[in-house]
Amino acid sequence: MASPMEAFNASQTSYPDTVHATISSTQTGLISKVWGNASVLSICMSLLATAVVYDQFSYRRQKANLPGDTWKLPFVGPFFDSVRPEFGKYYKKWVSGDLSCVSVFHKFVVIASTRDMARKVFNSPAYVKPCVVDVAHKLLRPENWVFMDGKEHVEYRKGLNGLFTRQAMETYLPGQQEVYNEYFEEFLQSSKEAKGAPLPFVYQLRELMCAVSCRTFVGHYMSREAVKKIADDYYQITAAMELVNFPIILPFTKPWYGKKASDKVIEAFANCAAKAKIRMRQKNAEPECILDRWIVQMLESERYRERIAKGEEVPQEEKPAQVLKMFSDFEISMTVFTFLFASQDATSSACSWLLQLCADRPEILAKVREEGAFIRPDPKAEVKLEDLDKMEWTRACVKETLRYRPPVIMVPYMVKKDFPIPEENYVAPKGSMIIPSTWLSLHDPEAYPNPDSWDPDRWISGNAEEQGKNWLVFGTGPHYCIGQNYAILNLMLLLHKLSAEFEWQHTITPKSEEIRVFATIFPMDNLLLTFSRRGEVAAAS
């Protein structure tokens, strides 16, 4: 039997072995764990470094000889600069070369700045197609006609041409004037409530132009309350359509709010289409808006097909100019939505600058008023299309505003296949975005002497009308703006009616001439105006 001391000694002898084993086991596990974590970390760092190198290599390879940043901020590029876009940075890019480039997130962007480079892009449908921005397909829907290409686009567009003829635009004028009369009175009331203090009018003008567009497109099928809601919603859609934005739709981002708003707008227009189909089938129904006229064409095409199906030989003169299918309410809604997309921000921008520029140059505004009074002595009488045709000064003010402050300064296109541009010894890679700019062509001193001054007389006594190659306000090529004549006449109507019955004063600030970029361009100070009825100021004094 062992003594207690022996037992104690035995335990002491075996204890270090246990401890050593435990320590050894613990150290091995700890080292393995640290080593494992280090391996995971090193792998992650290696993958990140590889991704950064590849991102830079890809950018440099696509950039080739183009002006642009030597290196890009990994992955995001100049995204953070674009959260609050500055016109000066855009301008610096335009003047850096005929072509230049940036890379944002996964998208490589080529910028075509000069007249000839911009026209080359506009007129190269074999290589490029309109893409707006990445999120546009989700907001406007991928099957929308604006994303069609080639023959399919040409044929669809033919079916829309009849909506913008002179005869058609004559029928839209009464509704437009009704809207202008209503909103001008509201502008007057706003100034009275402010006791003559200037108010920022950019946002009210956005709602006005939305209301005019909706009345032109869908007539009385939409209530005033619905128009106001669309004007509010459309602000979210515009924010989502900014040139540089987060590339995927995540909750509470601009694209997310824009998608929710676009769903509501498309639903509202679909409801209008359903109502119009019912009304236009009624006997003696006369078209009052674009929706009516389009559905009339569909019904005429439907009757033509029925006659053919019965074996009737239909005389050529009784065949519709364009045989259309009966589009669904949703298909009609998508197209009307694109009309609003094309007109809303552009006309909001143009009318903001137009009112500011005319107010700041009373001698020009006086000529507009004199011309209007001569052509249409009674300011309460309905404006006819033939009246607008005669208003030379009014048209000149509108066209010069569109030149001096073009609402659309860039038009994004997607490169469908490698696009050779031998003038610059460059090939725009497939999948990249290429963006023609309109600014430099419209401020070319050879085409428009003293281009940075607002001078409507260049359209009357000068040769501005002859500068067709530089006039890229509405684009050119197969995707030029289908509603360009409508847009000019609409702005002429606005200026004529407002100047005939109202006075407006512009409060000039140091930021009045600065440009704020929000899809289109606006005065940086949001246009401080005060309205009064003509004659009231003189009577009061």
Side-chain angles (χ1 to χ4, degrees):
M1 181 176 179
S3 67
M5 183 57 70
E6 290 175 325
F8 179 75
N9 289 337
S11 66
Q12 279 204 332
T13 302
S14 60
Y15 180 69
D17 292 338
T18 306
V19 171
H20 291 156
T22 302
I23 292 173
S24 176
S25 174
T26 302
Q27 287 177 336
T28 302
L30 180 61
I31 291 170
S32 298
K33 187 174 182 180
V34 170
W35 178 253
N37 288 343
S39 297
V40 171
L41 180 61
S42 63
I43 290 171
C44 290
M45 293 300 294
S46 297
L47 289 174
L48 178 61
T50 301
V52 169
V53 170
Y54 176 77
D55 185 52
Q56 298 295 341
F57 171 77
S58 176
Y59 167 66
R60 291 295 298 272
R61 177 176 54 82
Q62 295 177 97
K63 176 181 180 295
N65 61 321
L66 295 185
D69 294 335
T70 304
W71 305 101
K72 62 171 286 192
L73 188 64
F75 311 121
V76 297
F79 169 72
F80 296 107
D81 287 342
S82 303
V83 172
R84 290 187 176 180
E86 296 178 18
F87 177 80
K89 290 184 178 180
Y90 283 130
Y91 184 79
K92 184 178 179 181
K93 208 52 142 166
W94 297 332
V95 298
S96 67
D98 291 6
L99 294 180
S100 58
C101 68
V102 295
S103 182
V104 185
F105 288 119
H106 64 295
K107 189 66 65 179
F108 182 75
V109 182
V110 178
I111 300 165
S113 302
T114 61
R115 179 198 71 183
D116 292 340
M117 284 295 106
R119 290 183 67 86
K120 186 177 186 69
V121 176
F122 283 132
N123 289 301
S124 298
Y127 292 98
V128 301
K129 64 177 181 179
C131 67
V132 195
V133 291
D134 283 353
V135 77
H137 287 78
K138 298 180 178 69
L139 270 60
L140 300 177
R141 304 302 189 271
E143 62 270 39
N144 200 303
W145 80 282
V146 296
F147 302 122
M148 292 179 183
D149 200 17
K151 184 178 179 181
E152 184 183 21
H153 171 264
V154 172
E155 290 302 315
Y156 196 99
R157 188 185 180 98
K158 284 181 181 177
L160 302 176
N161 287 334
L163 307 179
F164 296 96
T165 62
R166 284 185 57 81
Q167 180 185 8
M169 287 190 283
E170 184 86 58
T171 64
Y172 308 148
L173 280 175
Q176 293 167 355
Q177 293 174 69
E178 184 181 324
V179 173
Y180 280 131
N181 291 337
E182 181 180 353
Y183 273 82
F184 291 165
E185 292 296 332
E186 289 190 5
F187 292 174
L188 181 63
Q189 186 60 34
S190 294
S191 290
K192 286 182 176 179
E193 291 173 359
K195 300 186 184 303
L199 299 173
F201 263 86
V202 158
Y203 304 101
Q204 293 191 59
L205 290 174
R206 282 181 62 87
E207 184 183 334
L208 165 63
M209 300 318 294
C210 183
V212 171
S213 293
C214 286
R215 179 61 57 83
T216 303
F217 302 155
V218 299
H220 288 90
Y221 300 118
M222 182 174 287
S223 67
R224 169 69 187 277
E225 293 72 23
V227 169
K228 177 67 167 67
K229 185 67 172 66
I230 283 182
D232 292 340
D233 287 341
Y234 203 84
Y235 193 86
Q236 304 290 347
I237 297 171
T238 300
M241 292 283 200
E242 287 176 334
L243 182 60
V244 176
N245 228 324
F246 203 70
I248 57 176
I249 296 180
L250 293 177
F252 310 113
T253 60
K254 290 179 182 179
W256 184 77
Y257 286 114
K259 179 62 167 64
K260 290 170 67 72
S262 70
D263 290 344
K264 294 177 184 176
V265 173
I266 286 180
E267 181 182 1
F269 284 148
N271 290 335
C272 293
K275 296 174 186 176
K277 283 180 178 178
I278 294 172
R279 176 176 174 269
M280 296 316 296
R281 288 184 184 274
Q282 296 174 0
K283 188 176 181 180
N284 298 325
E286 292 292 331
E288 298 177 356
C289 61
I290 280 179
L291 195 55
D292 287 342
R293 299 190 74 87
W294 198 20
I295 288 173
V296 165
Q297 293 179 32
M298 295 178 206
L299 294 175
E300 290 174 348
S301 298
E302 185 178 65
R303 288 190 288 269
Y304 170 76
R305 284 191 297 269
E306 289 173 354
R307 294 172 68 183
I308 294 295
K310 293 176 181 177
E312 183 179 345
E313 290 188 11
V314 181
Q316 185 65 28
E317 61 271 17
E318 295 181 21
K319 179 182 177 180
Q322 188 74 15
V323 180
L324 307 177
K325 75 171 190 176
M326 181 58 70
F327 292 102
S328 69
D329 296 344
F330 176 71
E331 289 173 320
I332 293 171
S333 178
M334 283 194 299
T335 298
V336 174
F337 187 19
T338 62
F339 290 163
L340 184 64
F341 172 68
S343 67
Q344 167 64 20
D345 291 303
T347 52
S348 298
S349 167
C351 74
S352 297
W353 291 108
L354 181 62
L355 297 193
Q356 172 171 306
L357 292 163
C358 285
D360 293 348
R361 295 156 180 81
E363 70 283 0
I364 299 293
L365 184 55
K367 292 182 178 180
V368 170
R369 285 193 168 119
E370 181 181 355
E371 173 183 77
F374 177 77
I375 294 170
R376 197 176 67 100
D378 181 3
K380 300 293 184 182
E382 184 176 323
V383 182
K384 301 292 186 182
L385 191 57
E386 61 188 30
D387 296 330
L388 295 176
D389 287 339
K390 299 172 185 175
M391 295 181 184
E392 186 180 45
W393 265 103
T394 307
R395 181 181 295 273
C397 288
V398 168
K399 295 198 73 172
E400 178 65 354
T401 300
L402 294 174
R403 183 206 65 80
Y404 179 68
R405 289 290 186 264
V408 180
I409 56 177
M410 294 176 288
V411 186
Y413 280 76
M414 180 67 68
V415 179
K416 299 189 293 184
K417 61 181 180 180
D418 286 355
F419 181 14
I421 306 175
E423 298 91 336
E424 292 297 308
N425 191 28
Y426 181 75
V427 177
K430 177 183 177 180
S432 63
M433 186 181 287
I434 188 164
I435 304 179
S437 168
T438 65
W439 187 272
L440 294 188
S441 70
L442 293 164
H443 289 76
D444 180 353
E446 292 186 10
Y448 307 106
N450 197 14
D452 293 324
S453 68
W454 187 75
D455 180 15
D457 190 51
R458 73 173 80 241
W459 297 92
I460 297 173
S461 62
N463 66 348
E465 287 287 1
E466 300 170 15
Q467 308 303 321
K469 278 195 170 184
N470 286 72
W471 181 249
L472 296 180
V473 173
F474 299 98
T476 188
H479 290 275
Y480 77 91
C481 177
I482 195 172
Q484 58 180 304
N485 290 329
Y486 157 73
I488 291 174
L489 288 169
N490 181 27
L491 291 167
M492 289 176 64
L493 177 65
L494 162 72
L495 180 58
H496 167 67
K497 283 190 63 63
L498 187 62
S499 63
E501 299 185 56
F502 296 88
E503 301 280 358
W504 68 97
Q505 287 77 44
H506 173 231
T507 299
I508 300 174
T509 74
K511 294 188 175 183
S512 293
E513 283 286 332
E514 291 186 23
I515 294 172
R516 178 169 67 93
V517 181
F518 182 65
T520 50
I521 60 174
F522 296 89
M524 188 68 78
D525 61 6
N526 290 324
L527 187 62
L528 301 176
L529 298 179
T530 306
F531 285 88
S532 60
R533 199 180 305 279
R534 288 194 72 189
E536 285 185 354
V537 176
S541 59

